[in-house]
Amino acid sequence: MSGFEETICEAIRSMRLLVVEYGGAERLVQPYVYGDDHAGDRLLSAYQVAGASASGVSAGWKFFRMDKVTAVTLSDRHFHSPRPEFQRNDGAFARIVCQVGD
């Protein structure tokens, strides 16, 4: 596992928020699913709770392409239950490395 992968999967297992540096800006996210999409790109599916956003919408569900992530830091903050709209085994992923509830 890469350093990012270990940190991301630990955050997913322990339901801890992550600080993700993406597109030159920090975002605070609840990580849910980490794996590969059907094109072979490594993705993190997360719910962003704070921080910058290219779309101008700082909160909401986002896919983060890992080739554009420059840093990942485990937060001390926890989220206590999955969001009601969370779907396990998301069809956007061809291969799931780790996800909430594993």
Side-chain angles (χ1 to χ4, degrees):
M1 277 200 227
S2 73
F4 284 171
E5 187 166 299
E6 194 172 308
T7 301
I8 290 167
C9 287
E10 170 59 26
I12 288 172
R13 277 190 299 276
S14 61
M15 295 183 76
R16 287 170 60 188
L17 277 72
L18 282 174
V19 179
V20 177
E21 192 166 312
Y22 189 81
E26 285 189 349
R27 297 137 190 268
L28 185 64
V29 304
Q30 297 173 342
Y32 279 86
V33 185
Y34 181 71
D36 300 324
D37 69 8
H38 294 277
D41 293 317
R42 183 59 51 102
L43 300 177
L44 169 64
S45 174
Y47 190 89
Q48 182 171 327
V49 296
S53 173
S55 69
V57 180
S58 62
W61 287 101
K62 315 256 176 151
F63 283 109
F64 296 94
R65 282 184 46 148
M66 294 309 296
D67 60 352
K68 296 183 178 179
V69 171
T70 53
V72 172
T73 308
L74 199 55
S75 166
D76 291 335
R77 293 175 54 192
H78 289 261
F79 56 108
H80 299 289
S81 60
R83 292 189 165 273
E85 65 275 18
F86 169 60
Q87 297 286 321
R88 283 183 50 79
N89 303 316
D90 188 325
F93 290 87
R95 176 178 166 265
I96 293 173
V97 175
C98 54
Q99 68 182 326
V100 165
D102 280 351

